[in-house]
Amino acid sequence: MIRIHILGSAAGGGLPQWNCTCANCAAARSGKIAPQTQSSIAISGDSEGHWFLINASPDLPRQIESMPQLQPYQESLRNTPITGVLLTNPDIDHALGLLHLRQQETPLVVYAADQTRTALAWIDRVLSRFSRIEWRKISADFQSLNGNLAFRAIELPGSVAFQFRDETSGATALFAPSVGELTEELGNAVQASDVVLFDGTFWSDGELGAVRLGAKTAREMNHLPIGDGSLDLLRESPARRKIYTHINNTNPILMPGTRERAQVEQAGIEVAGDGLEINL
Ligand SMILES: [Zn+2]
Ligand SMILES: [Zn+2]
């Protein structure tokens, strides 16, 4: 069995974001909606307690304390169940957490595309003074990660999506938090996966421009909006569970009762929250 745990479901900045007073950030501050930490999931394919992180957010220390299975075992003074990290791209909100993992005695295993590794040379340099990063290649073909768990990378502009497979049952899960363009390969994976965790950053292309003058559009930031982008694709997917995650604090789907939230729910899609668990 594969276990997936959503550690953080927000896009960069989190919910609430430190300098933002938009309706959602205000609602999160006043306890009307649940706060969210920045996007990361933990995944495990064995019963021995090995866990992998997909993206390492700046909120990682808090996320580890929120999930007992990621905390060190009592049997020795220094240890961790975190066996490695997979990166979808080099964004700050996906990579800064690597710096929090510097205290361990053994090299930190990180799977990433060559472009991501190159862009993170600065983190590589910082960690070389500690126990360093041991970089591992990713591939378009399934490779074994641990136990029953295999994975492959689906290349996208500026990022990758990961598809995971349970080698015993054949069940698959897709994690695509940063989708700039709907490629044919990604579309096929959305149709063929049992669980789909998809880029829910923005509802509309101009959403960020409404709170910050001169802000880039969703598409310019390499995120396909939900409304006129991914909603139809996910609606038509036969996946058992379809979930929007990596949600920006400006996105109206965060607020129950909005027209946008209703459209997502009517399409059979869930809105992720921190701590959501999915068994595959
Ligand atoms: Zn991000
Ligand atoms: Zn906000």
Side-chain angles (χ1 to χ4, degrees):
M1 189 176 76
I2 292 177
R3 285 173 295 166
I4 296 171
H5 183 109
I6 297 185
L7 290 167
S9 47
L15 173 74
Q17 178 172 314
W18 67 281
N19 62 346
C20 188
T21 60
C22 78
N24 290 334
C25 287
R29 284 197 184 93
S30 67
K32 255 179 74 189
I33 59 175
Q36 295 178 336
T37 60
Q38 293 168 88
S39 175
S40 172
I41 63 170
I43 189 166
S44 176
D46 67 17
S47 47
E48 281 103 64
H50 295 98
W51 288 86
F52 290 82
L53 304 179
I54 323 304
N55 293 335
S57 101
D59 300 319
L60 185 57
R62 211 150 41 112
Q63 293 170 336
I64 290 172
E65 296 312 316
S66 78
M67 182 178 169
Q69 298 100 306
L70 291 188
Q71 294 164 13
Y73 301 111
Q74 290 299 329
E75 65 204 32
S76 73
L77 281 169
R78 287 290 176 95
N79 67 81
T80 176
I82 299 170
T83 309
V85 181
L86 287 70
L87 298 177
T88 57
N89 60 7
D91 286 357
I92 289 282
D93 59 314
H94 301 175
L96 214 57
L98 296 176
L99 296 176
H100 288 298
L101 300 174
R102 69 186 178 281
Q103 287 98 344
Q104 64 182 26
E105 283 78 16
T106 52
L108 177 62
V109 172
V110 179
Y111 293 82
D114 290 342
Q115 304 92 292
T116 296
R117 177 178 177 172
T118 304
L120 292 179
W122 65 280
I123 283 187
D124 215 5
R125 264 197 312 279
V126 173
L127 290 181
S128 67
R129 294 201 299 273
F130 297 89
S131 53
R132 76 180 178 84
I133 294 179
E134 185 180 313
W135 293 95
R136 302 263 175 95
K137 297 265 184 204
I138 56 175
S139 142
D141 300 314
F142 277 102
Q143 58 177 307
S144 175
L145 192 56
N146 189 254
N148 284 336
L149 185 61
F151 81 106
R152 71 183 183 106
I154 297 168
E155 207 177 318
L156 298 165
S159 75
V160 299
F162 290 114
Q163 191 179 30
F164 297 92
R165 186 170 70 191
D166 183 327
E167 295 291 45
T168 310
S169 69
T172 52
L174 179 71
F175 183 57
S178 201
V179 177
E181 190 189 312
L182 269 185
T183 62
E184 193 184 339
E185 194 186 7
L186 183 68
N188 291 340
V190 168
Q191 293 300 317
S193 296
D194 298 283
V195 170
V196 174
L197 295 157
F198 205 85
D199 184 339
T201 313
F202 298 111
W203 173 266
S204 63
D205 213 23
E207 191 175 304
L208 210 53
V211 292
R212 205 180 76 212
L213 211 64
K216 289 181 180 171
T217 67
R219 286 185 170 86
E220 283 168 354
M221 295 176 76
N222 221 17
H223 291 292
L224 191 72
I226 296 172
D228 65 351
S230 60
L231 188 63
D232 288 341
L233 172 84
L234 261 66
R235 182 192 289 112
E236 284 151 24
S237 162
R240 179 161 61 80
R241 290 187 77 174
K242 302 177 273 194
I243 303 166
Y244 277 124
T245 190
H246 193 279
I247 305 160
N248 198 60
N249 57 72
T250 51
N251 193 326
I253 68 168
L254 287 169
M255 189 72 79
T258 58
R259 183 177 54 84
E260 294 85 355
R261 171 71 165 248
Q263 273 182 261
V264 165
E265 286 169 352
Q266 279 155 19
I269 307 166
E270 299 168 66
V271 176
D274 291 13
L276 184 66
E277 299 244 8
I278 304 140
N279 290 330
L280 193 65

